[in-house]
């Protein structure tokens, strides 16, 4: 970089650079240098947005947001790493800004609720527990799904208060179910990467255990693999400490994203959740069948339990059952529902 230029990490895995007089050639050279880092065992995935500043009075956060909006459009696209902001993204930026304002207010106004989706023992058909899934009950937008606001909440640094609310709420409910004659019910809570990598995450989990008095073994925290590739050593340490509290750890959405069979071997795990994209085509496509069977066998061999997500039909249920899998979750047994409905159905 040249004097007067700045590079900074703003949150999670997001970085911003301010460059002076950067022409396309220089930008191309910069990113191809990153692309061409060829250390052993290192694969670098990134998406970059470039916003050319013309109005020097523009709000600096808005400039960063525009670059970020552009970058988001190529996230996950393997062969494209850089995109320039253009007028066609203006609508997305406006929508983003609106959502940001609403989301900040939502925290203030307590607009988040946890829904609960049943998890069922395939042999008995009985409930074994539930996964807490957050919804944003927005006065302006109605019920908003997590996919539409969690990435933004992470970006804005708002995921931690939201996540803690879900964990505490779920632990309290589970303690109540256990006290009401169902000591076997347990509860699952999703943790985002950003939450998991907080310095005091283990303390926060311990505090929830203490305050809610849930039996630690009845709380399972679900993490995804996308984070596992970044800092395996740190991640293993945090997960081990969480497990030392008695809390269980599940690997969510297995088979998607940056999956590696090695993660199963290396990560301290209790449960693997096979992603629903493999269940969708069970019985239709050989790969899905083989994949589910293989993961299930592998898990058995290392004493890790398997839960299958997204079972929608009896046929899928029967196939999964034949494979010897015991825990399933999916619309076939129940959609995520409000706590009142859940407890009416399962607290008898
Ligand atoms: P996930 O943890 O893999 O949750 C499963 C998702 O699949 C849920 O979507 C659920 O409604 C949906 N689902 C379950 N069974 C079926 C089925 O049979 N068919 C179909 N088509 N879908 C099914 P949802 O609730 O929209 O959540 C999406 C993702 O958002 C979750 O994926 C999780 O990664 C994230 N998420 C949800 N709640 C939280 C939270 O409190 N904190 C964090 N950090 N992430 C959360
Ligand atoms: Mg989950
Ligand atoms: Mg999942």
């Amino acid at each position: 970089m040249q004097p007067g230029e700045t590079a900074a990490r703003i949150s999670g895995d997001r970085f911003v650079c301010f460059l002076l007089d950067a022409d396309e050639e220089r930008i191309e050279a910069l990113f191809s240098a990153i692309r061409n880092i060829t250390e052993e065992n290192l694969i670098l995935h990134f998406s970059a947005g470039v916003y050319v500043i013309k109005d020097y009075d523009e709000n600096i956060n808005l400039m960063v947001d525009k670059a970020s909006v552009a970058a988001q459009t190529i996230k996950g696209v393997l062969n494209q790493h850089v995109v320039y902001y253009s007028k066609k993204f203006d609508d997305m930026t406006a929508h983003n800004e609106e959502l940001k304002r609403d989301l900040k207010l939502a925290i203030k106004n307590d607009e988040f609720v946890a829904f609960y989706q049943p998890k069922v023992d395939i042999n008995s058909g009985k409930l074994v527990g539930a996964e807490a899934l957050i919804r944003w009950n927005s006065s302006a937008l109605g019920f908003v799904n997590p996919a539409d606001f969690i990435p933004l909440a992470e970006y804005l640094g708002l995921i931690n208060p939201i996540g803690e609310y879900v964990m505490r709420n779920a632990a309290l409910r589970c303690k109540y179910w256990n006290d009401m004659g169902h000591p076997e019910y347990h509860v699952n809570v999703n943790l985002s990467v950003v939450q998991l990598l907080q310095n005091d995450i283990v303390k926060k989990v311990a505090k929830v255990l203490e305050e809610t008095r849930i039996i630690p073994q009845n709380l399972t925290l679900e993490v995804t693999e996308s984070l596992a590739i970044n800092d395996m050593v740190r991640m293993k340490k945090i997960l081990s400490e969480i497990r030392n509290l008695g809390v269980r750890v599940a690997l969510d959405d297995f088979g998607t994203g940056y999956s590696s069979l090695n993660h199963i071997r290396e990560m301290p795990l209790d449960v693997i959740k096979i992603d629903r994209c493999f269940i969708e085509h069970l019985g239709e496509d050989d790969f899905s069948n083989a994949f589910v069977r293989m993961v299930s066998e592998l898990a058995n061999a290392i004493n890790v339990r398997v839960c299958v997500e997204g079972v929608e039909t009896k046929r899928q249920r029967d196939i999964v059952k034949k494979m010897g899998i015991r825990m399933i979750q999916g619309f076939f047994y129940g959609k995520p529902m409000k706590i009142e409905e859940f407890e009416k159905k399962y607290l008898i």
Side-chain angles (χ1 to χ4, degrees), residues 117 131-135 145-147 150 154 159 162-163 166-167 189-193 195 222 224 252-253 273 275-276 309-312 316 329-332 334-336:
Q117 184 178 31
E131 176 173 4
L133 293 157
I134 195 163
R135 300 288 180 267
N145 282 327
I150 293 229
E154 287 177 348
I159 189 69
I162 299 175
V166 181
M167 203 194 304
V189 175
N190 295 284
L191 272 200
S192 87
V193 196
Q195 280 177 278
E222 299 191 359
T224 53
D252 203 357
D253 304 338
K273 296 187 78 170
D275 193 75
R276 72 161 192 269
E309 304 191 271
V311 175
E312 293 186 357
Q316 291 164 346
Q329 191 179 331
F331 294 173
F332 181 71
K335 292 193 172 179

